[in-house]
Amino acid sequence: MRILFYLPVVTPWWFEHIVEPLLRRVASVAEVHVLAPAPWRNTGLGEDELRRCTDLPSVQWAIVDGEDHPTLRTVPADRDGLIAYVRGLAPDLVLCRTADFDTPRAFPGVVRYIMEAVTTPFDLVSAANTVHFTDSPFVNGAMPELAPGDAARLEALFAPAWADMQAYWQAACLDRVDVYRTLGLHEGRPTLLLPLEYEHEENFYLQHRPGGASNRDLVAQAAAAVKGRATLLVTDHPLNALHVERDAFLDYVLALDDVVYVEDPIFDVSPTTALARHVDGVLLHDSKSFALAAAFGRPMLRHSRFASADWLRDRGDLAAFVKAVATGKAARAEDAAARRWFAYHLANEAFYPTDPALTGATVIDRALRPVDPGRWDAAIARINVRNPALEVAA
């Protein structure tokens, strides 16, 4: 089998913790090629990444370093030439880390995207390098129709973990009155949560935002919609605090009416997680925080180019959503479907590239066979093994 890793937007952290472990496993059982641009905006592959793999002589590398190599992150300047090169390789499987979702559709073989799979509120039990393979990036809540027997078995396997998760966060996040008193908020006034996404130049996925909106634009739109009706609670992505200059942005947010910026943990819980359990609605774009809203039964509105499963009930008009939240009439995700999706995602899709039990054959199998009930028992058992924090609340 011939496998191509196509990696225009892989970062050094991603290469070390995700791609290299996958390469090592797959190279033991297949012919492996790597196609990536030279470094730019903290993406691409350079000397450090290649040096890490000098003990993998069978891996064949193609590093695009011409003057147009930055375009591989958006729209390749020589798209036809790129596609012709990949067709010449004739891979059976292509594993992508790219923010250009159109070009790989022209590649031969089975094409899968390597995407993050850490899913709060189960992030207590999953490592930071948890990933899954998908043929449709950013399709929130997607899952196939399972045979009735398989669905019943999966839900029975997952039920204890779901109950433990809910009990843990109920204890950790306390009651709404406690959280809101800590923040100086009026408990009876409607609140909407806006969790911001990572807004660094290395995040090329932001190019898919409708209208190219910035985080500042998103806050402005939400603030205008809630004015006089509700309070907007804004939380930031943790990587923004580490890698992005935020002073001017925070000055802007703090000057807005009916907007509260929540930066610090609440009772040792991240502000996004703590608030998601208690707010009246959540505003989303392509943040993984949709999983929090689904797990905690919070109404959500998603503005995105990408699809969402119907059970999330996250589509609609911003003004209408704010009105529905303020009057207590906003639709929530289907609870039974939420449990089923978390069960499917954690038992069937999510995995750790550094898992000692992971082999090259199982990596390939995950890419070629999206659904395998044979994975479920071990994956659910791993949740129970890795979550001593949940047991104290059960």
Side-chain angles (χ1 to χ4, degrees):
M1 171 172 276
R2 182 174 298 149
I3 298 176
L4 171 64
F5 283 78
Y6 178 59
L7 308 171
V9 299
V10 71
T11 64
W13 187 95
W14 251 78
F15 187 85
E16 177 180 352
H17 296 280
I18 295 170
V19 173
E20 181 191 341
L22 292 176
L23 276 173
R24 291 186 174 280
R25 285 156 175 78
V26 172
S28 68
V29 296
E31 177 187 328
V32 174
H33 296 254
V34 178
L35 173 59
W40 184 64
R41 293 190 179 180
N42 206 40
T43 60
L45 301 186
E47 293 181 2
D48 289 344
E49 288 73 35
L50 296 177
R51 192 178 301 116
R52 295 183 63 89
C53 298
T54 54
D55 61 329
L56 298 175
S58 65
V59 175
Q60 301 182 51
W61 304 83
I63 306 300
V64 180
D65 59 1
E67 63 179 10
D68 291 332
H69 79 80
T71 67
L72 266 67
R73 283 79 171 182
T74 52
V75 180
D78 185 13
R79 185 174 183 271
D80 291 342
L82 174 66
I83 293 169
Y85 175 82
V86 176
R87 287 178 175 170
L89 284 179
D92 302 291
L93 172 64
V94 183
L95 297 176
C96 303
R97 184 61 177 170
T98 176
D100 167 20
F101 302 136
D102 291 330
T103 301
R105 292 192 182 102
F107 292 170
V110 175
V111 177
R112 296 285 185 262
Y113 299 90
I114 315 170
M115 303 298 289
E116 297 95 334
V118 175
T119 308
T120 307
F122 282 92
D123 59 353
L124 286 173
V125 300
S126 60
N129 65 335
T130 311
V131 296
H132 69 121
F133 296 142
T134 179
D135 59 358
S136 300
F138 295 116
V139 179
N140 288 352
M143 55 183 164
E145 188 75 28
L146 300 175
D150 287 338
R153 172 173 159 252
L154 180 59
E155 291 182 20
L157 283 170
F158 191 65
W162 181 263
D164 285 352
M165 179 275 293
Q166 294 288 1
Y168 175 83
W169 289 115
Q170 182 175 358
C173 297
L174 301 183
D175 295 327
R176 173 166 166 143
V177 64
D178 300 308
V179 171
Y180 282 36
R181 183 182 298 125
T182 298
L183 298 176
L185 300 174
H186 188 286
E187 182 194 356
R189 190 168 199 239
T191 51
L192 289 97
L193 172 64
L194 174 59
L196 299 177
E197 296 171 48
Y198 185 36
E199 200 168 43
H200 189 275
E201 66 176 7
E202 73 181 24
N203 185 5
F204 288 93
Y205 296 102
L206 295 179
Q207 67 186 296
H208 297 291
R209 275 186 177 167
S214 67
N215 278 343
R216 178 168 173 155
D217 296 331
L218 300 179
V219 172
Q221 294 164 11
V226 305
K227 190 171 184 179
R229 303 191 68 111
T231 299
L232 179 69
L233 305 177
V234 178
T235 59
D236 209 353
H237 193 288
L239 291 181
N240 283 333
L242 292 175
H243 304 303
V244 180
E245 196 286 315
R246 305 300 275 165
D247 289 346
F249 172 76
L250 293 179
D251 287 343
Y252 170 77
V253 173
L254 294 173
L256 294 171
D257 294 331
D258 295 326
V259 177
V260 176
Y261 178 78
V262 185
E263 180 177 17
D264 297 324
I266 303 170
F267 306 125
D268 296 322
V269 175
S270 81
T272 301
T273 302
L275 291 170
R277 189 164 183 88
H278 299 299
V279 293
D280 301 288
V282 182
L283 300 176
L284 298 163
H285 298 88
D286 292 319
S287 168
K288 294 188 293 296
S289 295
F290 83 91
L292 275 172
F296 294 155
R298 302 296 94 191
M300 68 185 97
L301 178 70
R302 184 189 189 198
H303 186 49
S304 172
R305 295 181 187 272
F306 301 103
S308 295
D310 290 341
W311 65 267
L312 287 167
R313 297 172 176 166
D314 66 356
R315 295 296 178 167
D317 174 73
L318 176 58
F321 180 72
V322 171
K323 181 179 179 180
V325 167
T327 57
K329 297 179 180 179
R332 302 167 186 264
E334 299 173 22
D335 183 62
R339 292 196 305 272
R340 192 178 309 120
W341 177 79
F342 275 100
Y344 171 78
H345 182 62
L346 293 171
N348 190 86
E349 292 186 316
F351 71 98
Y352 313 102
T354 50
D355 185 344
L358 188 69
T359 68
T362 55
V363 172
I364 294 170
D365 182 69
R366 282 185 170 276
L368 299 182
R369 187 165 50 147
V371 181
D372 179 12
R375 301 172 190 151
W376 298 351
D377 292 270
I380 298 298
R382 187 176 296 115
I383 292 177
N384 294 329
V385 168
R386 295 177 65 93
N387 68 348
L390 299 187
E391 295 173 4
V392 301

